[in-house]
Amino acid sequence: MKCAMLVTGNGPIVIVTSYNSLENPDLLERLKDKGIPKFLAYEIPMELAQERYKGHFKKVMNGFTESDSLRVLDHNGHRAFNLFTWAELGTPLAHESPLDDLYHQH
């Protein structure tokens, strides 16, 4: 299970996923389908996310199983961005889906 802050075109969000990698092709496809084809991902240790989000973390995680692939822990970009320091987040993973016909306007 992974927790990560994704810095997207619409601002930061924090997600929890049952995938063991933020580069899992199925996760990337789910994010793309949700309108997030390009992002910087900063992995957040689960314990740190639990500490910062407290009761909200428990509420979001209630019933979360390995078959659940994605939950949004925080969609408030301002809060998400300010809950963690750069040192806690570490080096980001950059992802950009290939452009397809949907993005080409002729």
Side-chain angles (χ1 to χ4, degrees):
M1 203 170 302
K2 298 281 185 184
C3 182
M5 177 187 301
L6 303 183
V7 179
T8 74
N10 289 327
I13 62 170
V14 177
I15 63 163
V16 177
T17 180
S18 59
Y19 293 111
N20 60 2
S21 170
L22 297 174
E23 297 179 281
N24 181 291
D26 293 333
L27 174 60
L28 297 175
E29 190 64 31
R30 290 234 23 224
L31 291 169
K32 183 179 175 185
D33 290 346
K34 293 186 176 295
I36 306 173
K38 180 179 181 177
F39 57 84
L40 294 174
Y42 294 88
E43 192 169 335
I44 300 170
M46 291 295 280
E47 305 79 32
L48 182 59
Q50 187 173 4
E51 175 189 313
R52 298 290 163 81
Y53 285 103
K54 302 187 186 319
H56 179 69
F57 183 88
K58 290 179 185 175
K59 181 180 174 183
V60 169
M61 296 303 291
N62 186 30
F64 190 82
T65 65
E66 287 297 316
S67 63
D68 291 336
S69 59
L70 180 66
R71 289 208 179 167
V72 175
L73 180 59
D74 196 348
H75 57 82
N76 180 325
H78 182 75
R79 176 180 50 220
F81 196 74
N82 288 301
L83 271 179
F84 305 97
T85 66
W86 290 125
E88 290 171 326
L89 296 175
T91 304
L93 162 76
H95 173 76
E96 184 171 23
S97 294
L99 296 177
D100 56 25
D101 290 343
L102 178 66
Y103 298 108
H104 289 92
Q105 300 291 322
H106 295 285

